[in-house]
Amino acid sequence: MPKCQKCGGNWTWKQTIKKSFTLDTRMKCPHCSEIQFISKRTRKWSSALMFVIPLVLLLNIFWEPTLWTIVIMICIASIYLVSYPYWLELSNEENLPF
């Protein structure tokens, strides 16, 4: 689970998922109310993993879409959603990608 870089408090799975579904890149620590950001490393891994779903969709252009393809995409998305809080890392500073 993510750990606040300021107070060291561990976030729960539910808190992490709830704060991840906002459009704001800032995440307020539920323990000390300090502003935290998703680390650059986590953003890179997240982007790489979410590239798999469009890749599967692209493969469907060449082959006929099947029920298995839909099941695989749902499984990948579910695994990503459930495991995301476990490998999320937080940072005190916002590391812009550019």
Side-chain angles (χ1 to χ4, degrees):
M1 290 297 163
K3 183 184 283 189
C4 177
Q5 298 297 309
K6 172 90 172 164
C7 70
N10 286 329
W11 295 22
T12 65
W13 185 88
K14 186 177 179 180
Q15 290 168 335
T16 307
I17 290 294
K18 185 178 178 182
K19 295 193 184 290
S20 296
F21 278 106
T22 61
L23 295 177
D24 193 5
T25 59
R26 298 172 293 168
M27 301 169 80
K28 190 182 288 189
C29 175
H31 304 289
C32 67
S33 298
E34 185 72 23
I35 299 296
Q36 299 287 296
F37 301 94
I38 298 173
S39 71
K40 190 174 184 177
R41 179 178 179 229
T42 301
R43 282 197 318 249
K44 284 182 182 178
W45 274 102
S46 178
S47 298
L49 289 174
M50 288 312 294
F51 181 71
V52 172
I53 292 175
L55 182 64
V56 171
L57 289 173
L58 183 65
L59 290 175
N60 273 325
I61 292 172
F62 300 109
W63 292 286
E64 185 177 320
T66 64
L67 179 62
W68 285 109
T69 308
I70 295 168
V71 170
I72 289 170
M73 288 189 324
I74 291 171
C75 288
I76 290 171
S78 299
I79 290 169
Y80 173 78
L81 179 66
V82 169
S83 66
Y84 181 70
Y86 293 102
W87 50 272
L88 175 71
E89 294 175 355
L90 298 173
S91 172
N92 285 332
E93 302 168 353
E94 185 173 21
N95 298 320
L96 298 174
F98 38 82

